[in-house]
Amino acid sequence: NAGVMQNPRHLVRRRGQEARLRCSPMKGHSHVYWYRQLPEEGLKFMVYLQKENIIDESGMPKERFSAEFPKEGPSILRIQQVVRGDSAAYFCASSSSWDRVNYGYTFGSGTRLTVV
Amino acid sequence: EDQVTQSPEALRLQEGESSSLNCSYTVSGLRGLFWYRQDPGKGPEFLFTLYSAGEEKEKERLKATLTKKESFLHITAPKPEDSATYLCAASNSGYALNFGKGTSLLVTP
């Protein structure tokens, strides 16, 4: 079981470019969650998705950020026109509907985004 | 406003020196209190979920407890490999986790 796979591990973008972060959940997991960790801050919830549906995006900035989890393929977090303040570690987690009690949420190793 | 506060921010222990990490939370309608361990450059690794006051869970040298306002992570006779950042998170939605900033633990031989 490969766990939650995120890529790339490190991403450098110039201000104004687009960043695409990918997350493949654990096998058998149909729920995906994105979190952002700013320097010296705790992890902050961004969005919760199930296949082809956004369940809760209350933690997503209103502009420039979007997320999807298509029927086929990984979940994508997309940041348009990046600014220096977007520099952070972005973590994806996954779960099934029934294993949250015993196994919580399984996190990937994250994508470190640096905006220069 | 929902808040999760962890203390201390950093803790240095000698191998074998037991201690406790604190997590205070103000979350309306708690639906789970989570403990994770995070190593540098890695994602959080799940340790425990607690659901109701009085509940306790154990795993090797770690024991988590929950009251109506706090959770404690007790570390008994720690080893250097227990060095990591320990994260506490509370959820009132059943899925979104509200994390504290963590306690950075260093265990020296």
Coordinates of all heavy atoms in Angstrom, one line a residue, chain B residues 53-91:
Chain B
A53 N -15.2 12.7 27.0 CA -14.4 12.9 28.3 C -14.3 11.6 29.1 O -15.2 10.9 29.2 CB -15.1 14.0 29.1
G54 N -13.1 11.4 29.6 CA -12.8 10.2 30.3 C -12.2 9.1 29.5 O -11.6 8.1 30.0
E55 N -12.2 9.3 28.2 CA -11.6 8.2 27.3 C -10.1 8.3 27.4 O -9.5 9.3 27.5 CB -12.1 8.5 25.9 CG -11.8 7.3 24.9 CD -12.4 7.5 23.6 OE1 -13.1 8.5 23.4 OE2 -12.2 6.7 22.7
E56 N -9.5 7.1 27.3 CA -8.0 7.0 27.3 C -7.6 6.0 26.2 O -8.3 5.0 26.0 CB -7.5 6.5 28.6 CG -7.7 7.4 29.8 CD -7.1 6.9 31.1 OE1 -6.6 5.8 31.1 OE2 -7.2 7.6 32.1
K57 N -6.5 6.3 25.5 CA -5.9 5.3 24.6 C -4.4 5.2 24.7 O -3.8 6.2 25.0 CB -6.3 5.7 23.1 CG -7.8 5.5 22.8 CD -8.1 5.6 21.4 CE -9.6 5.3 21.1 NZ -10.0 5.5 19.7
E58 N -3.9 4.1 24.5 CA -2.5 3.8 24.7 C -1.8 3.2 23.5 O -2.5 2.4 22.7 CB -2.2 2.9 25.9 CG -2.4 3.6 27.2 CD -1.9 2.6 28.3 OE1 -0.7 2.4 28.5 OE2 -2.8 2.2 29.1
K59 N -0.6 3.5 23.2 CA 0.2 2.9 22.1 C 1.7 3.0 22.5 O 2.2 4.1 22.6 CB -0.1 3.7 20.8 CG 0.7 3.1 19.6 CD 0.3 4.0 18.4 CE 1.1 3.5 17.2 NZ 0.8 4.3 16.0
E60 N 2.2 1.9 22.8 CA 3.6 1.8 23.3 C 3.9 2.8 24.4 O 3.3 2.6 25.5 CB 4.6 2.1 22.1 CG 4.4 1.1 21.0 CD 5.4 1.3 19.8 OE1 6.1 2.4 19.8 OE2 5.3 0.5 18.8
R61 N 4.7 3.8 24.3 CA 5.1 4.7 25.4 C 4.1 5.9 25.5 O 4.3 6.7 26.3 CB 6.5 5.1 25.2 CG 7.5 4.0 25.3 CD 8.9 4.6 25.1 NE 9.2 5.0 23.7 CZ 9.4 4.2 22.7 NH1 9.4 2.9 22.9 NH2 9.6 4.7 21.5
L62 N 3.1 5.9 24.6 CA 2.2 7.1 24.6 C 0.9 6.7 25.1 O 0.3 5.6 24.9 CB 2.1 7.5 23.1 CG 3.3 8.0 22.4 CD1 3.0 8.4 21.0 CD2 4.0 9.2 23.1
K63 N 0.3 7.7 25.9 CA -1.1 7.5 26.4 C -1.8 8.8 26.3 O -1.3 9.9 26.7 CB -1.1 7.1 27.8 CG -2.4 6.9 28.5 CD -2.3 6.5 29.9 CE -3.6 6.4 30.6 NZ -3.4 6.0 32.1
A64 N -3.0 8.8 25.6 CA -3.7 10.1 25.4 C -5.0 10.0 26.3 O -5.6 9.0 26.4 CB -4.1 10.2 24.0
T65 N -5.3 11.1 26.9 CA -6.5 11.3 27.8 C -7.3 12.5 27.3 O -6.7 13.4 26.7 CB -6.1 11.3 29.2 OG1 -5.3 12.5 29.5 CG2 -5.3 10.1 29.7
L66 N -8.6 12.5 27.7 CA -9.4 13.6 27.3 C -10.4 14.0 28.4 O -11.0 13.1 29.1 CB -10.3 13.2 26.1 CG -11.2 14.2 25.5 CD1 -10.4 15.4 24.9 CD2 -12.2 13.6 24.4
T67 N -10.4 15.3 28.6 CA -11.4 15.9 29.5 C -12.3 16.8 28.7 O -12.2 16.9 27.5 CB -10.8 16.7 30.7 OG1 -10.3 17.9 30.1 CG2 -9.7 15.9 31.3
K68 N -13.2 17.5 29.3 CA -14.1 18.4 28.6 C -13.5 19.6 28.0 O -14.0 20.3 27.1 CB -15.3 18.8 29.4 CG -16.3 17.7 29.7 CD -17.5 18.1 30.4 CE -18.5 17.0 30.6 NZ -19.7 17.4 31.3
K69 N -12.2 19.9 28.5 CA -11.6 21.1 28.0 C -10.2 20.9 27.5 O -9.6 21.7 26.9 CB -11.5 22.2 29.1 CG -12.9 22.7 29.5 CD -12.7 23.9 30.5 CE -14.1 24.4 30.8 NZ -14.0 25.5 31.8
E70 N -9.6 19.7 27.9 CA -8.2 19.5 27.6 C -8.0 18.0 27.2 O -8.7 17.1 27.5 CB -7.3 19.7 28.8 CG -7.3 21.1 29.3 CD -6.5 21.2 30.6 OE1 -6.9 20.6 31.6 OE2 -5.4 21.9 30.5
S71 N -6.8 17.8 26.5 CA -6.3 16.5 26.3 C -4.9 16.5 26.6 O -4.2 17.5 26.5 CB -6.5 16.1 24.8 OG -6.0 14.8 24.6
F72 N -4.4 15.4 27.1 CA -3.0 15.2 27.5 C -2.4 14.0 26.7 O -3.1 13.0 26.6 CB -2.8 15.0 29.0 CG -3.2 16.2 29.8 CD1 -4.6 16.3 30.3 CD2 -2.4 17.2 30.1 CE1 -4.9 17.3 31.1 CE2 -2.7 18.3 30.9 CZ -4.0 18.4 31.4
L73 N -1.2 14.2 26.3 CA -0.4 13.1 25.7 C 0.7 12.8 26.7 O 1.6 13.7 26.9 CB 0.1 13.5 24.3 CG 0.8 12.4 23.6 CD1 -0.2 11.2 23.2 CD2 1.5 12.9 22.3
H74 N 0.6 11.7 27.4 CA 1.6 11.3 28.3 C 2.7 10.5 27.6 O 2.3 9.5 26.9 CB 1.0 10.5 29.5 CG -0.2 11.2 30.1 ND1 0.0 12.2 31.1 CD2 -1.5 11.1 29.9 CE1 -1.2 12.6 31.4 NE2 -2.2 12.0 30.7
I75 N 3.9 10.8 27.9 CA 5.0 10.0 27.3 C 5.8 9.4 28.4 O 6.4 10.1 29.2 CB 5.9 10.9 26.4 CG1 5.1 11.6 25.3 CG2 7.1 10.1 25.8 CD1 5.9 12.6 24.5
T76 N 5.8 8.1 28.5 CA 6.5 7.3 29.6 C 7.8 6.8 29.1 O 7.9 6.2 28.1 CB 5.6 6.2 30.0 OG1 4.3 6.7 30.4 CG2 6.2 5.4 31.2
A77 N 8.8 7.1 29.9 CA 10.2 6.7 29.6 C 10.6 6.9 28.1 O 10.8 5.9 27.4 CB 10.4 5.2 30.0
P78 N 10.6 8.1 27.6 CA 10.8 8.3 26.2 C 12.2 7.9 25.7 O 13.1 7.9 26.5 CB 10.6 9.9 26.1 CG 10.9 10.4 27.4 CD 10.4 9.4 28.4
K79 N 12.3 7.6 24.4 CA 13.5 7.3 23.8 C 13.8 8.4 22.7 O 12.9 9.1 22.3 CB 13.4 5.9 23.1 CG 13.1 4.8 24.1 CD 13.1 3.5 23.4 CE 12.9 2.3 24.4 NZ 12.9 1.0 23.7
P80 N 15.1 8.5 22.3 CA 15.4 9.5 21.3 C 14.5 9.4 20.0 O 14.2 10.4 19.4 CB 16.9 9.2 21.0 CG 17.4 8.6 22.2 CD 16.3 7.8 22.8
E81 N 14.1 8.2 19.7 CA 13.2 8.1 18.5 C 11.8 8.7 18.7 O 11.1 8.8 17.7 CB 13.2 6.6 18.0 CG 12.7 5.7 19.1 CD 13.9 4.9 19.7 OE1 14.9 5.6 19.9 OE2 13.8 3.7 19.9
D82 N 11.5 9.1 19.9 CA 10.2 9.7 20.1 C 10.3 11.2 19.8 O 9.3 11.9 19.8 CB 9.8 9.6 21.6 CG 9.5 8.1 21.9 OD1 8.9 7.4 21.0 OD2 9.8 7.7 23.0
S83 N 11.5 11.7 19.5 CA 11.7 13.1 19.1 C 10.9 13.4 17.8 O 11.1 12.8 16.8 CB 13.2 13.4 18.9 OG 13.9 13.3 20.1
A84 N 10.0 14.4 17.9 CA 9.2 14.8 16.8 C 8.3 16.0 17.3 O 8.4 16.4 18.4 CB 8.3 13.7 16.4
T85 N 7.5 16.5 16.3 CA 6.5 17.5 16.7 C 5.2 16.8 16.9 O 4.8 16.0 16.0 CB 6.4 18.6 15.7 OG1 7.6 19.3 15.6 CG2 5.2 19.6 16.0
Y86 N 4.5 17.0 18.0 CA 3.2 16.3 18.3 C 2.1 17.3 18.1 O 2.1 18.4 18.7 CB 3.3 15.7 19.7 CG 4.2 14.5 19.8 CD1 5.5 14.7 20.0 CD2 3.7 13.3 19.6 CE1 6.4 13.6 20.0 CE2 4.5 12.2 19.6 CZ 5.9 12.4 19.8 OH 6.8 11.3 19.8
L87 N 1.2 17.0 17.3 CA 0.1 17.9 16.9 C -1.2 17.4 17.5 O -1.5 16.2 17.5 CB -0.1 17.9 15.4 CG 1.2 18.3 14.6 CD1 0.9 18.2 13.1 CD2 1.5 19.8 14.9
C88 N -2.0 18.3 18.0 CA -3.3 18.0 18.5 C -4.3 18.7 17.5 O -4.1 19.8 17.0 CB -3.4 18.6 19.9 SG -5.1 18.6 20.6
A89 N -5.5 18.1 17.3 CA -6.5 18.7 16.4 C -7.9 18.3 16.9 O -8.1 17.2 17.4 CB -6.3 18.2 15.0
A90 N -8.8 19.3 16.8 CA -10.2 19.0 17.2 C -11.1 19.2 16.0 O -10.8 20.0 15.1 CB -10.6 20.0 18.4
S91 N -12.2 18.4 16.0 CA -13.1 18.5 14.9 C -14.5 18.6 15.5 O -14.9 17.9 16.3 CB -13.0 17.3 14.0 OG -13.9 17.4 13.0

